[in-house]
Amino acid sequence: MGRSRRDRRLWYVMLIVLALLPLIPGPLQGPFAQHVLVSILLFACMSQAWNILGGYCGQVSFGHSVFFGIGAYGTGMAVVTYGLAPWPGVIAGAFLAMIVAIAMSYPCFRLKGHYFAIATFAIVEIFNRLFMVWDWVGGAMGLDYPIIEEGWKNFMWFQSKTQYYYGAFILFLIIFSFVRWMEANKLGYYMKAVRDGQEAAESLGVNSTSVKLTAIAISAFLAALCGAFFVQYNLRVDPPMVMSLDMSMRFVLITILGGLGTLWGPLLGAAILIPLQEYTRAIWGGLGGGVDLIIFGILIIVIVIRQPKGIMGFISWLASRSKAAKGGDE
């Protein structure tokens, strides 16, 4: 009971802090700082979408950039190709990503462990090459947005990034609230059971195939929503931007750094990796693209060796030591 109450308080405090961040005067009002904040929330959302399948269900996928890309292209084509507002494309892209995820995962879920992960590598490359030569979606040139009216109707702004921040905050609320609900309900328990021991879960009556398909359908749907936001924020899309192993690896590594199968892990991982990337590139230019990867690689090595549960594991360890020390003092 006490722990549940503390979790709720942490959740409320975190939401209040995130909501007030863009209102803080000074450095956070600059366009670059706001860009970093938007990117943190966006990649936290995308990593949380991956976390549903990879963290809670234990199915490590490197193919989530496909679903991210389908969401981006669905929204981009609604605006660029058909001259519509982005919202019909957001919905169409999300449902199409979910259908594609189920169709390609049903045979792949017969594979286990690293064999499943290798299959998802191949899927990313297939979709990347397909979209590179597919003229209907713009081919290798991609889609460039026209200049249209600013506002929430078109989800487009040019003068400030504050509205994008609040758009990312709303997306954050949707995805993280869903995962928090999932953790405490039957679906979350089934996923954890499949992750911890598929054969044992099946012996207790859990349909592991159904659970995994449900996990990847939800994960793909939410990933496509993140892709839709990404294309509206960048105002263009091409295959290397969204459907690449580099993008997929980023989602995976952010979650591993923060903590697999935890609510706050993706946010903590994004809060470290994204500023690291953006500020090293801003300070050192092109060299920053290498420096941030070196630092991040060192962090991942330390995490894997010292605490496989990520930053959340360190926090739990420190909390348990603090509790033990207080008990000893008493």
Side-chain angles (χ1 to χ4, degrees):
M1 184 68 178
R3 181 178 179 182
S4 176
R5 191 173 299 166
R6 286 196 301 270
D7 289 344
R8 281 200 299 271
R9 288 174 182 169
L10 176 62
W11 174 253
Y12 297 144
V13 169
M14 187 70 76
L15 293 184
I16 292 170
V17 170
L18 290 173
L20 293 178
L21 272 178
L23 303 180
I24 298 174
L28 291 183
Q29 288 298 311
F32 181 73
Q34 289 185 346
H35 164 70
V36 173
L37 291 175
V38 170
S39 298
I40 288 172
L41 285 182
L42 174 59
F43 279 95
C45 289
M46 184 58 226
S47 299
Q48 189 68 276
W50 181 89
N51 194 32
I52 292 173
L53 180 69
Y56 287 98
C57 204
Q59 308 302 304
V60 178
S61 165
F62 295 101
H64 265 59
S65 63
V66 170
F67 315 133
F68 184 78
I70 289 173
Y73 269 97
T75 306
M77 290 185 67
V79 176
V80 178
T81 307
Y82 297 106
L84 303 172
W87 305 109
V90 173
I91 297 170
F95 278 101
L96 180 59
M98 188 167 60
I99 293 169
V100 170
I102 294 172
M104 74 182 195
S105 296
Y106 185 77
C108 290
F109 278 142
R110 297 183 181 183
L111 305 171
K112 295 182 180 180
H114 56 277
Y115 293 107
F116 174 77
I118 291 170
T120 61
F121 268 111
I123 289 168
V124 173
E125 289 301 313
I126 290 169
F127 273 85
N128 180 278
R129 297 297 183 268
L130 174 63
F131 274 66
M132 288 285 281
V133 299
W134 197 359
D135 291 337
W136 186 53
V137 296
M141 298 297 293
L143 302 171
D144 285 300
Y145 269 49
I147 303 299
I148 56 179
E149 183 181 356
E150 288 185 290
W152 287 95
K153 177 184 176 182
N154 292 317
F155 201 78
M156 187 179 297
W157 296 273
F158 307 110
Q159 303 301 320
S160 171
K161 297 183 184 294
T162 303
Q163 291 85 352
Y164 279 118
Y165 176 86
Y166 281 110
F169 181 63
I170 292 170
L171 184 63
F172 172 88
L173 281 179
I174 293 171
I175 294 177
F176 276 68
S177 297
F178 172 80
V179 172
R180 188 171 184 272
W181 169 87
M182 184 192 75
E183 280 186 325
N185 283 271
K186 184 169 64 175
L187 178 60
Y189 291 119
Y190 281 178
M191 288 182 185
K192 292 174 184 177
V194 171
R195 176 193 67 192
D196 295 337
Q198 182 172 320
E199 290 78 10
E202 289 174 349
S203 70
L204 296 173
V206 177
N207 187 333
S208 62
T209 301
S210 176
V211 170
K212 289 189 285 188
L213 287 174
T214 301
I216 198 168
I218 296 170
S219 184
F221 186 91
L222 298 178
L225 295 183
C226 297
F229 183 95
F230 181 82
V231 70
Q232 289 296 126
Y233 183 62
N234 287 278
L235 301 181
R236 71 162 276 107
V237 61
D238 58 49
M241 282 180 69
V242 291
M243 292 185 179
S244 65
L245 289 173
D246 174 67
M247 186 64 79
S248 285
M249 289 298 296
R250 197 176 304 180
F251 308 146
V252 177
L253 294 176
I254 286 173
T255 313
I256 291 174
L257 177 63
L260 283 168
T262 63
L263 177 64
W264 296 111
L267 179 60
L268 291 174
I272 292 174
L273 175 61
I274 299 305
L276 178 64
Q277 287 184 329
E278 298 297 337
Y279 281 100
T280 51
R281 290 172 185 173
I283 294 171
W284 291 308
L287 179 63
V291 172
D292 66 325
L293 294 177
I294 293 171
I295 298 173
F296 189 62
I298 294 171
L299 288 174
I300 289 293
I301 292 171
V302 172
I303 288 293
V304 169
I305 294 174
R306 299 291 300 173
Q307 183 50 264
K309 294 182 179 180
I311 296 171
M312 289 299 296
F314 275 116
I315 293 174
S316 298
W317 177 74
L318 290 173
S320 64
R321 287 200 59 174
S322 175
K323 185 176 180 180
K326 288 180 180 178
D329 292 341
E330 292 175 0

